[in-house]
Amino acid sequence: MKEDIEIPVVKGVYIAVVKEWDEEFLAKSWNSYIINDMDTTIEMVLVVTKGYDDKRKTSMLRHGIGTIEAKSSAKIEMLQEELLEMNNEFSVTFFVESKLFDKKYVFRKNTINENAFQNLPVMDKRGVLVK
């Protein structure tokens, strides 16, 4: 019975954190994005975020992103500087062609920093990427 259950593997969907200029706050801030590097649209995208370490944890936030076209990205949320000292977890759920996909992405504490920047797929930016 268990062998009949197919659990699809998520490939081509990533989470990135980028430091960019924020017009509202007139300063650079850290923003998280979901990247769809696949050749197909992903639908009904839901992202649940939380931060934690040995002593603290944040509230769990739910973000209904909706549809992300092939080879594109969508902003999830802004991350405050204090959160970079914690583990940041992004649980992503979405549909592709009526199949449900689910994956957990974790940025370990202190790994979100400018030394870890790399070129991001789909986006014309540099940032920290978790596959």
Side-chain angles (χ1 to χ4, degrees):
M1 193 95 117
K2 283 185 181 180
E3 58 274 356
D4 294 334
I5 299 172
E6 179 190 346
I7 301 173
V9 178
V10 175
K11 292 181 181 175
V13 176
Y14 315 116
I15 300 292
V17 176
V18 177
K19 191 171 189 178
E20 57 193 353
W21 183 256
D22 189 323
E23 285 295 327
E24 184 178 344
F25 296 109
L26 299 175
K28 283 198 165 192
S29 56
W30 294 93
N31 292 307
S32 58
Y33 289 86
I34 181 168
I35 298 172
N36 178 10
D37 196 20
M38 297 192 301
D39 293 325
T40 57
T41 298
I42 60 177
E43 300 173 328
M44 295 178 61
V45 179
L46 177 66
V47 181
V48 178
T49 64
K50 66 180 179 179
Y52 59 91
D53 63 15
D54 297 335
K55 299 175 185 152
R56 309 170 289 173
K57 67 178 181 177
T58 66
S59 299
M60 193 177 300
L61 299 175
R62 292 167 183 82
H63 306 276
I65 307 294
T67 300
I68 303 175
E69 297 297 323
K71 303 291 183 183
S72 66
S73 63
K75 187 174 178 179
I76 301 170
E77 67 182 3
M78 185 182 90
L79 297 173
Q80 296 175 324
E81 286 281 336
E82 304 86 56
L83 295 177
L84 306 182
E85 300 169 2
M86 305 171 79
N87 297 313
N88 288 279
E89 182 177 294
F90 295 77
S91 296
V92 178
T93 306
F94 59 90
F95 283 91
V96 174
E97 299 171 358
S98 300
K99 261 193 190 171
L100 178 67
F101 289 78
D102 183 62
K103 185 169 181 179
K104 189 177 295 185
Y105 301 85
V106 178
F107 290 91
R108 296 284 171 212
K109 62 183 178 177
N110 298 314
T111 59
I112 300 173
N113 62 63
E114 293 184 40
N115 295 330
F117 278 9
Q118 59 182 297
N119 292 328
L120 300 175
V122 176
M123 301 174 72
D124 188 24
K125 297 182 180 187
R126 291 180 52 79
V128 183
L129 184 71
V130 172
K131 293 184 176 183

